[in-house]
Amino acid sequence: MKDIDVIAVLQDPVRRRLYEYVAAQGREVGRNEAAEAVGVARTLAAHHMDRLVEAGLLESGSRRLTGRSGPGAGRPAKVYTRARVERSVSLPARDYRTAAALLAEAAEEAGLDVGLRAVARRRGEALRGAATPCGGLAEAMELLAARGYEPHLEAGEAGEGGERGEGDLGGVVRMRNCPFHVVAERFPPLVCGMNLALLEGLIGTDGPVRARMDARPGECCVVVEASKNNEH
């Protein structure tokens, strides 16, 4: 199925809400949960979610949702997660991905890491404009969401040193999506350093929140947390 046909599958509003719900969870989602979340019948949710699997937008598997095993544990239920395959459409056809990869390769070979980070930090500052640094994690999450990072708060974390400051929701903001994923996979030190510098410029380095490296499989290499400069 061509990318344009895959994206067209999301034209149905119920199907799109189901996809967005599963994608936002960052874990396996059962049919009952998804149906309740978007307010439709389980059978309708199952139909649309299986259609999303056919299109390659979701992946499916099965497991027992009760957490039990053995006799009496019940039959495994079908569960869904977002597919990791990237889809894009450009009319007329463009190939910015190849250009980005070539530029990244040239920058890495020439040792331009420092210069790239400086440019990225300036771009982040330009995107922020005259605004002051982020006032807290909630504001940072809004900025990150607007740029496609898919931020989510992990309340069980308190950041380095275990300290929390004003504006801190009580956790660390992690991001399920890296907008530079394809190039970052090939040139991780270069692109992840660029990404960190960009976010430092965007949220500021002298406010109540800060960005830092903390790579974890399947997520963006950068996290945002309360700044040590804002400790009580």
Side-chain angles (χ1 to χ4, degrees), residues 53-164:
V53 171
E54 292 172 8
L57 291 166
L58 295 182
E59 295 175 354
S60 65
S62 62
R63 66 177 176 86
R64 288 188 174 91
L65 300 179
T66 61
R68 296 181 296 167
S69 60
R75 295 172 56 188
K78 201 164 187 178
V79 292
Y80 302 81
T81 56
R82 177 170 60 180
R84 302 304 301 177
V85 178
E86 183 177 313
R87 306 285 185 175
S88 62
V89 174
S90 176
L91 297 174
R94 297 289 187 261
D95 190 6
Y96 301 114
R97 182 183 299 178
T98 297
L102 290 172
L103 290 169
E105 185 174 354
E108 188 172 76
E109 290 181 357
L112 300 178
D113 306 57
V114 174
L116 178 60
R117 289 196 296 271
V119 171
R121 188 171 289 105
R122 289 199 299 270
R123 173 58 62 89
E125 292 170 349
L127 291 171
R128 176 158 52 98
T132 57
C134 279
L137 291 184
E139 184 180 340
M141 289 180 71
E142 290 182 5
L143 286 173
L144 294 168
R147 301 205 64 78
Y149 283 91
E150 299 183 6
H152 64 102
L153 185 71
E154 288 201 346
E157 301 184 36
E160 291 182 356
E163 298 290 341
R164 294 177 181 171

Side-chain angles (χ1 to χ4, degrees), residues 8-230:
V9 169
L10 295 172
Q11 185 174 1
D12 183 283
V14 173
R15 194 175 296 155
R16 182 166 184 170
R17 293 205 308 272
L18 285 164
Y19 172 78
E20 290 174 343
Y21 178 78
V22 174
Q25 304 316 301
R27 56 173 173 78
E28 294 177 331
V29 175
R31 289 170 168 175
N32 287 340
E33 177 188 345
E36 183 177 350
V38 303
V40 298
R42 180 185 181 280
T43 53
L44 181 61
H47 166 74
H48 283 305
M49 294 170 83
D50 286 339
R51 183 73 181 90
L52 290 166
V53 171
E54 292 172 8
L57 291 166
L58 295 182
E59 295 175 354
S60 65
S62 62
R63 66 177 176 86
R64 288 188 174 91
L65 300 179
T66 61
R68 296 181 296 167
S69 60
R75 295 172 56 188
K78 201 164 187 178
V79 292
Y80 302 81
T81 56
R82 177 170 60 180
R84 302 304 301 177
V85 178
E86 183 177 313
R87 306 285 185 175
S88 62
V89 174
S90 176
L91 297 174
R94 297 289 187 261
D95 190 6
Y96 301 114
R97 182 183 299 178
T98 297
L102 290 172
L103 290 169
E105 185 174 354
E108 188 172 76
E109 290 181 357
L112 300 178
D113 306 57
V114 174
L116 178 60
R117 289 196 296 271
V119 171
R121 188 171 289 105
R122 289 199 299 270
R123 173 58 62 89
E125 292 170 349
L127 291 171
R128 176 158 52 98
T132 57
C134 279
L137 291 184
E139 184 180 340
M141 289 180 71
E142 290 182 5
L143 286 173
L144 294 168
R147 301 205 64 78
Y149 283 91
E150 299 183 6
H152 64 102
L153 185 71
E154 288 201 346
E157 301 184 36
E160 291 182 356
E163 298 290 341
R164 294 177 181 171
E166 281 182 45
D168 191 352
L169 295 175
V172 169
V173 174
R174 292 187 177 273
M175 294 163 266
R176 293 194 175 98
N177 183 52
C178 171
F180 317 109
H181 174 71
V182 173
V183 187
E185 278 195 320
R186 291 187 58 188
F187 309 96
L190 180 79
V191 179
C192 290
M194 176 200 75
N195 188 24
L196 174 62
L198 177 70
L199 294 182
E200 286 177 337
L202 183 65
I203 69 174
T205 57
D206 54 355
V209 296
R210 65 162 185 165
R212 65 174 174 87
M213 284 285 193
D214 189 9
R216 194 162 74 174
E219 295 191 345
C220 179
C221 58
V222 180
V223 299
V224 177
E225 65 184 6
S227 172
K228 287 186 174 182
N229 297 329
N230 199 53

